[in-house]
Amino acid sequence: MESNGCASSGLPHRAALVLARGGSKGIPLKNIKNLAGVPLIGWVLRAALDSGVFDSVWVSTDHDEIERVAKVWGAKVHRRGPEVSNDSSSSLETIQEFIRQRPEVDIVCHFQATSPCLHPHHIREALQMITEQGCDYVFSVVRRHQFRWGEVHEKGQNPTALNIDVAHRPRRQDWPGELYENGSFYFSKRKALENGLKQLGKIAYYEMLAEHSVDIDVDIDWPVAEQRVLRFGYFGREEKAAVRLFLCKVSGCLTNGRIYTSVSGEDLVAINARDVAGIQMLQREDIQVILISSVNEPLSRGLLEKVAQQVGCGLRIGEQQKGLEVEELMREKELRWDEVAFMGSEAEDVDILSQVGLNGVPCDAPVADLIAAKYTCQRPAGHGAIREFAEYILMMKKKCTSQVHLDHIDRAHF
């Protein structure tokens, strides 16, 4: 991914900034922990980059691994100083350090990495409130229908209702609810930040729906957030194209790379029944599956053909540059890159992984450190990784072919 530069002479420089400190008392390196196959920070960076409204997209961090992941996902990196890298450092202090070193920045759009259901249209609409409506400070909120009570500090004291009349408790559909910060983003002009947000002019909030207001604070939220992001997250510009072909490497994806040799000298490999079932799931949905290998593959041609026969799909053994052969295959089948899904595992697969509409890697794949895969499986090669990625492909196909409003919560009946 690359930032879409939109600066031109006379226009304010708009910078996206994600604060991602290495230390976390709740979840170690939470900002780059995989959520639904993607590093947590990747969800926010993908939305920011695809919004197309920023002159620069930054991650402020003090950690080498976070820096590596940020660069892989297309962001620039600001190495914060030690004085704003401790547990007591505030977000405001960290942002002020950033703008002191970036005099060209006029508007800072601060995103929290812990909000993975952010979409590009949220960003574009909120930024317009500053660039076109004259706001100095804009923050994101969510509407909640929760009745609040005051805390009791003395024994025998009755709690006090803060936002309801107990005798006339309203029905949900008759009460507009209240607005709460959801922590997704805070946009501000430079001057307001330099003044420590003490002299704000025009302030506005941007309301987001509940399904997009996911904030990960503690580990117990992780499985819940994963289900939410799979349904309501932003998966990139390619999500509108339905996959028609799935290409999968044999060694390192379908098999775990181990080769067993019998007494008679025959080579043997193991195939997971869950992976075979995953391939069959795709085929039932009219997605063609082809196994691919190279002439340098340690498995013999005869064994590769037997594996393909056992799995029930096609086989291509390449003899030239793999990317060129895939292009020839696509021309043969009249396919575009965004209609192809690919699972690879090695450095030689990076070229294809970076071009297809959907890519995936097993969790133990060496290539996981070289490319930001759309989906990093929780399972290793040969142990159900293909089944897991197949389910992801089918989920994305469903999102592409179903009407958008069916995936949204009806606020009046939720």
Side-chain angles (χ1 to χ4, degrees):
M1 293 184 182
E2 294 182 356
S3 175
N4 292 325
C6 56
S8 61
S9 178
L11 294 179
H13 183 109
R14 294 162 285 189
L17 178 64
V18 182
L19 306 183
R21 190 169 63 92
S24 174
K25 292 185 176 181
I27 309 172
L29 289 180
K30 172 177 63 178
N31 293 312
I32 55 174
K33 179 180 177 181
N34 270 0
L35 177 71
V38 173
L40 180 59
I41 198 172
W43 292 102
V44 176
L45 290 177
R46 176 189 287 162
L49 288 161
D50 282 2
S51 70
V53 296
F54 294 115
D55 302 288
S56 58
V57 176
W58 296 84
V59 170
S60 170
T61 187
D62 60 342
H63 196 278
D64 291 343
E65 184 62 10
I66 295 177
E67 176 176 353
R68 184 192 69 80
V69 173
K71 288 180 177 178
V72 166
W73 279 85
K76 299 180 179 180
V77 173
H78 168 77
R79 290 298 294 227
R80 63 173 67 179
E83 64 277 5
V84 291
S85 299
N86 51 57
D87 291 339
S88 61
S89 301
S90 68
S91 297
L92 177 58
E93 292 171 334
T94 309
I95 296 172
Q96 287 176 327
E97 184 216 39
F98 171 78
I99 61 175
R100 281 197 298 270
Q101 298 182 29
R102 305 278 179 260
E104 74 279 7
V105 173
D106 301 296
I107 299 172
V108 175
C109 299
H110 167 214
F111 297 99
Q112 298 208 123
T114 52
S115 299
C117 282
L118 186 69
H119 283 243
H121 75 268
H122 297 142
I123 299 170
R124 288 191 290 265
E125 293 168 4
L127 185 58
Q128 285 176 349
M129 301 172 78
I130 287 183
T131 59
E132 298 180 13
Q133 300 177 26
C135 294
D136 297 301
Y137 186 74
V138 176
F139 57 96
S140 58
V141 300
V142 61
R143 189 175 299 273
R144 293 179 180 168
H145 294 75
Q146 295 174 309
F147 299 132
R148 295 183 293 109
W149 291 79
E151 185 177 354
V152 174
H153 296 285
E154 297 181 9
K155 189 176 181 179
Q157 180 182 1
N158 286 332
T160 303
L162 300 179
N163 64 348
I164 59 166
D165 179 353
V166 180
H168 300 88
R169 185 183 294 267
R171 298 183 305 165
R172 180 185 179 89
Q173 58 266 41
D174 297 331
W175 183 47
E178 296 180 326
L179 298 178
Y180 291 77
E181 288 188 17
N182 70 356
S184 287
F185 58 76
Y186 302 86
F187 294 179
S188 179
K189 290 183 177 178
R190 182 187 185 93
K191 184 176 180 181
L193 292 167
E194 290 175 334
N195 292 331
L197 302 180
K198 295 176 182 178
Q199 299 177 3
L200 293 175
K202 185 177 180 181
I203 305 175
Y205 60 78
Y206 177 84
E207 184 176 350
M208 294 172 60
L209 296 178
E211 59 261 39
H212 294 136
S213 300
V214 177
D215 188 10
I216 299 173
D217 287 319
V218 292
D219 210 7
I220 197 171
D221 290 338
W222 211 267
V224 176
E226 190 162 68
Q227 293 304 311
R228 291 276 294 277
V229 79
L230 283 172
R231 185 176 182 190
F232 300 114
Y234 173 68
F235 288 83
R237 295 189 180 116
E238 300 88 353
E239 66 176 304
K240 293 183 180 179
V243 170
R244 296 170 55 194
L245 172 65
F246 173 46
L247 301 176
C248 179
K249 287 286 294 293
V250 178
S251 293
C253 293
L254 180 61
T255 70
N256 59 10
R258 294 180 178 179
I259 303 176
Y260 307 90
T261 303
S262 67
V263 176
S264 61
E266 293 179 321
D267 288 341
L268 306 171
V269 293
I271 302 173
N272 194 296
R274 284 177 297 194
D275 290 329
V276 176
I279 289 173
Q280 292 172 344
M281 289 165 53
L282 294 175
Q283 291 171 331
R284 285 195 294 270
E285 293 295 322
D286 296 324
I287 297 175
Q288 186 177 7
V289 180
I290 297 178
L291 301 180
I292 63 174
S293 184
S294 66
V295 292
N296 298 323
E297 173 72 54
L299 301 180
S300 66
R301 178 180 289 267
L303 185 54
L304 288 169
E305 291 174 349
K306 184 64 177 178
V307 168
Q309 179 184 352
Q310 184 72 28
V311 174
C313 57
L315 172 68
R316 290 289 182 107
I317 301 176
E319 297 183 358
Q320 52 178 304
Q321 187 177 347
K322 191 179 285 90
L324 295 175
E325 293 187 340
V326 172
E327 288 183 4
E328 292 176 2
L329 177 62
M330 290 168 54
R331 284 194 294 270
E332 174 187 320
K333 297 184 176 297
E334 298 181 345
L335 295 173
R336 303 187 308 270
W337 280 111
D338 56 5
E339 296 175 310
V340 179
F342 175 59
M343 174 173 275
S345 62
E346 301 291 337
E348 63 183 22
D349 303 324
V350 168
D351 184 48
I352 303 176
L353 284 166
S354 62
Q355 295 186 74
V356 294
L358 288 178
N359 59 31
V361 297
C363 63
D364 59 341
V367 78
D369 290 334
L370 301 176
I371 190 170
K374 283 286 180 67
Y375 194 88
T376 302
C377 299
Q378 296 181 14
R379 296 183 178 275
H383 294 275
I386 291 178
R387 167 65 180 264
E388 184 182 337
F389 188 46
E391 291 176 345
Y392 175 79
I393 293 172
L394 294 178
M395 181 202 68
M396 292 304 302
K397 181 179 180 180
K398 182 179 179 181
K399 287 174 71 75
C400 296
T401 55
S402 62
Q403 295 180 7
V404 175
H405 74 270
L406 294 178
D407 263 347
H408 285 252
I409 296 173
D410 185 343
R411 202 185 284 175
H413 300 94
F414 177 58

